[in-house]
Amino acid sequence: MEKFLKLLKIETLGGLIIRFSLAGLLLFGGFSKFTLIGAEGYSLQGAILMAAIETISSFGILYHFKNPIMGIIGGLLALVSVIIRFVFTLYWLRTEIGSINSLFESFNIMTLVFNNGMFHIFLLIGASIYCTGNSYKHYITNRLTQPWPK
C-alpha cells in the first residue's frame, strides 16, 4: 500500500510539472508573440489576439487551484492557441515555399523536415488536454463533496 501511495505522489508531482510548464510556455509565447509577429510585418491585431489568448490561458491554468472552472477555460484556450499556432505554421510554410500549393503538402513538408517541432506540438496538445481534464476532475470532485443546498 505504501508503494502505491508513493506512486500517487509522483503522479501529482508530474501533473504539477506539466501544469506549470505549459503555463510558462504559454506566458512566454504570449508576450514574445506580441512583439515578434507585429515586428515581422504580420497583422498586429492578430499578434495582440494571440498574446491575449495565450496569456489568459496561462493565468487560467495557474488559477485552477482556486477555481477549477478557470482551469478548464485555461486548458481549452491553451488547446485553441496550440491549434492556431499549428495552422499558422502550416500557412506560413505554404506562403514562404513556392512549390507548396496546399496545406496538406505543407503538412507533409512539416512532418519530413520538422519532426522535432511536430513532437512538441503533440506534447503541447497533450498537456492542454491533461490540464483541462484534471481541472474538470477537480470541479466534479468539489461539486460532489459540497453539502446539499438548504
Side-chain angles (χ1 to χ4, degrees), residues 31 98 108:
F31 285 124
N108 285 337

Side-chain angles (χ1 to χ4, degrees), residues 3 6 12-13 20 22 29 36-37 43 52 56 67 70 84-85 89 103 105-106 111 117 121-122 129 133 142:
K3 289 182 182 181
K6 285 183 181 178
T12 303
L13 180 65
F20 286 118
L22 180 62
L36 293 178
I37 291 180
S43 168
I56 291 170
N67 186 357
M70 291 301 293
I84 288 173
R85 201 185 276 193
T89 304
L103 289 179
E105 289 179 23
S106 63
T111 56
I121 288 171
F122 290 133
I129 290 172
N142 289 345

Side-chain angles (χ1 to χ4, degrees), residues 1-11:
M1 183 68 171
E2 189 174 314
K3 289 182 182 181
F4 180 71
L5 292 176
K6 285 183 181 178
L7 289 176
L8 287 179
K9 289 179 186 177
I10 292 172
E11 180 186 5

Side-chain angles (χ1 to χ4, degrees), residues 8-140:
L8 287 179
K9 289 179 186 177
I10 292 172
E11 180 186 5
T12 303
L13 180 65
L16 289 174
I17 290 171
I18 289 172
R19 183 171 297 278
F20 286 118
S21 298
L22 180 62
L25 283 171
L26 288 171
L27 193 61
F28 173 73
F31 285 124
S32 68
K33 198 173 275 74
F34 180 69
T35 57
L36 293 178
I37 291 180
E40 290 187 14
Y42 292 103
S43 168
L44 185 61
Q45 292 84 8
I48 292 171
L49 179 67
M50 276 304 293
I53 289 173
E54 290 180 351
T55 304
I56 291 170
S57 70
S58 66
F59 286 132
I61 287 170
L62 292 178
Y63 201 69
H64 149 83
F65 300 107
K66 295 279 185 186
N67 186 357
I69 292 177
M70 291 301 293
I72 294 169
I73 292 170
L76 291 175
L77 283 175
L79 185 63
V80 166
S81 71
V82 170
I83 290 172
I84 288 173
R85 201 185 276 193
F86 177 67
V87 170
F88 178 79
T89 304
L90 290 178
Y91 178 75
W92 181 82
L93 278 173
R94 189 177 71 90
T95 57
E96 292 298 318
I97 300 174
S99 64
I100 297 177
N101 297 324
S102 68
L103 289 179
F104 183 71
E105 289 179 23
S106 63
F107 179 74
N108 285 337
I109 296 293
M110 191 170 180
T111 56
L112 292 173
V113 177
F114 302 115
N115 277 339
N116 201 14
M118 291 296 292
F119 179 71
H120 287 105
I121 288 171
F122 290 133
L123 280 177
L124 288 173
I125 288 172
S128 60
I129 290 172
Y130 169 79
C131 289
T132 305
N134 193 337
S135 296
Y136 186 71
K137 180 180 80 171
H138 283 288
Y139 171 73
I140 295 297

